DNA sequence: GCACAATTTGAACGATCACTCAAGAATTAA
DNA sequence: TTAATTCTTGAGTGATCGTTCAAATTGTGC
């Protein structure tokens, strides 16, 4: 997963996979049917990992809205020198293999599921009275996800951790304000 | 440029380039030294094109802030079925070839230049009294660019043009409000 | 019309690509 | 211990990768 995540689908060769997995080609093809299918499996794994990490942040927060804010702010801890890539593997894959139908659909499904989780979180914040009752939760969630996408790309660029943190906090603040009950 | 933009660097083969350019390998290598160098040239061209389009939107607007809003809203016109890719070639390249030093630096420079243009636009809005005097223009510009990144990725996902437009307008509104004089 | 320079051609290069498969090693069942 | 089964091995597949170069073609100056 880390290999595909950092190098991308096309740039990852079977030689790379042999070394990393410590398996010979035959074994790789016995376990997974093809490079594409192995890649799809890593996408699933990544999405599960990402979803559970996000859920953990949301669940441990004092309140639903605080959880969402914390999640945005947690993106400040990504540094562009980090391994694996600070960028979202799903976004990276969407851009790279978006023209391969099977892979694009897999990525889209994962992103949709994450968006639904966000919608639920927003709904909870609304139920808790932290958000205006009139707000469309799905709409807010889409905006939130747009922030996340943007921030993860900035994380690939921004070398100054102070500015990165500032940016995350700016967006977190904006969320609270524009959405307040 | 369109070829690299849509397929990405690695997925574009020299056969593809031969067909699209209508040139034989020898000519391609005489004109450009290598695939990488040709790719870098397309990055330059893309960045120039994108910068001038953005500048046109900014310049024709009634006011600086309106220009920035219009630019955000113009992203609603991207549809995921569009050719070439609706995603920003620079972002796509940053994610795909971010681990190749020469290419990453080229992309970073282009993105930095665009950010500077945004900073100037924000500065003009501030000078025009549309923004609070106390705001850090560079900081606002970074936030703006984060929106743009996020929106262009959403444009790859969102199939409903109504929702896409709504999203762009949400972010444009947010910009005006959070930044108002 | 002719010599000379610049460009284009496309076959060929070694390397690497994703992938296969017959043969051998390891594991399990009796 | 042995027979059956599963897993692993790694050389080998044809295809394609990015790249080169000598020969053919085209363009230029006189």
């Amino acid at each position: 997963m880390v290999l595909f995540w950092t190098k991308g689908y096309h740039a990852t060769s079977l030689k790379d996979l042999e070394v990393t997995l410590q398996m010979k080609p035959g074994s790789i093809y016995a376990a997974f049917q093809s490079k594409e299918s192995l890649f799809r499996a890593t996408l699933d794994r990544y999405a599960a990992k990402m979803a559970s990490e996000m859920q953990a942040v949301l669940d441990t927060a004092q309140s639903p809205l605080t959880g969402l804010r914390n999640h945005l702010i947690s993106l400040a801890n990504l540094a562009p020198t980090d391994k694996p890539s600070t960028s979202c593997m799903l976004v990276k894959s969407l851009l790279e293999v978006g023209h391969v139908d099977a892979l694009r659909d897999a990525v889209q499904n994962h992103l949709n599921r994450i968006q639904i989780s966000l919608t639920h979180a927003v709904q909870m914040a609304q139920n808790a009275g932290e958000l205006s009752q009139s707000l469309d939760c799905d709409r807010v969630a889409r905006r939130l996800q747009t922030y996340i996408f943007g921030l993860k790309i900035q994380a690939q660029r921004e070398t100054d951790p102070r500015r990165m943190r500032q940016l995350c906090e700016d967006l977190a603040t904006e969320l609270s304000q524009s959405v307040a009950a």
Side-chain angles (χ1 to χ4, degrees), chain A:
Chain A
M1 184 189 83
V2 170
L3 187 59
F4 274 131
W5 187 359
T6 48
K7 297 196 74 173
Y9 177 65
H10 285 111
T12 301
S13 72
L14 244 98
K15 261 253 136 11
D16 295 330
L17 291 168
E18 285 176 46
V19 172
T20 302
L21 296 175
Q22 299 201 83
M23 294 167 85
K24 308 295 160 188
S27 298
I28 295 178
Y29 279 81
F32 321 94
Q33 307 101 291
S34 65
K35 182 189 173 187
E36 182 179 317
S37 144
L38 171 55
F39 179 65
R40 206 157 37 226
T42 66
L43 282 180
D44 296 345
R45 175 169 282 249
Y46 174 87
K49 184 178 129 87
M50 187 194 170
S52 82
E53 282 176 5
M54 186 179 83
Q55 207 56 53
V57 171
L58 294 178
D59 289 347
T60 58
Q62 287 184 331
S63 80
L65 186 58
T66 307
L68 290 172
R69 286 177 45 88
N70 286 349
H71 181 237
L72 283 181
I73 290 170
S74 77
L75 299 177
N77 298 327
L78 305 172
T81 52
D82 272 359
K83 296 287 171 201
S85 165
T86 63
S87 80
C88 174
M89 186 185 181
L90 295 174
V91 168
K92 193 168 170 169
S93 303
L94 179 66
L95 296 185
E96 193 193 346
V97 297
H99 51 99
V100 180
D101 287 11
L103 292 175
R104 190 197 50 233
D105 291 352
V107 171
Q108 290 273 36
N109 283 336
H110 284 128
L111 290 175
N112 286 339
R113 267 196 283 277
I114 292 169
Q115 188 190 300
I116 290 171
S117 302
L118 287 174
T119 305
H120 287 158
V122 172
Q123 182 79 61
M124 283 180 63
Q126 195 177 47
N127 291 345
E130 295 183 293
L131 265 68
S132 160
Q133 293 297 321
S134 61
L135 277 175
D136 177 349
C137 292
D138 202 55
R139 187 170 166 180
V140 174
R142 264 198 304 279
R143 186 144 60 89
L144 210 64
Q145 202 176 26
T146 308
Y147 290 173
I148 296 169
F149 290 160
L151 284 175
K152 285 200 174 184
I153 286 167
Q154 288 287 22
Q156 292 262 318
R157 247 161 65 65
E158 187 58 77
T159 49
D160 181 347
R162 209 193 86 263
R163 278 205 301 246
M164 187 64 207
R165 171 161 289 276
Q166 197 180 54
L167 181 63
C168 290
E169 278 166 2
D170 280 356
L171 293 202
T173 302
E174 205 160 273
L175 172 73
S176 328
Q177 286 182 352
S178 75
V179 124

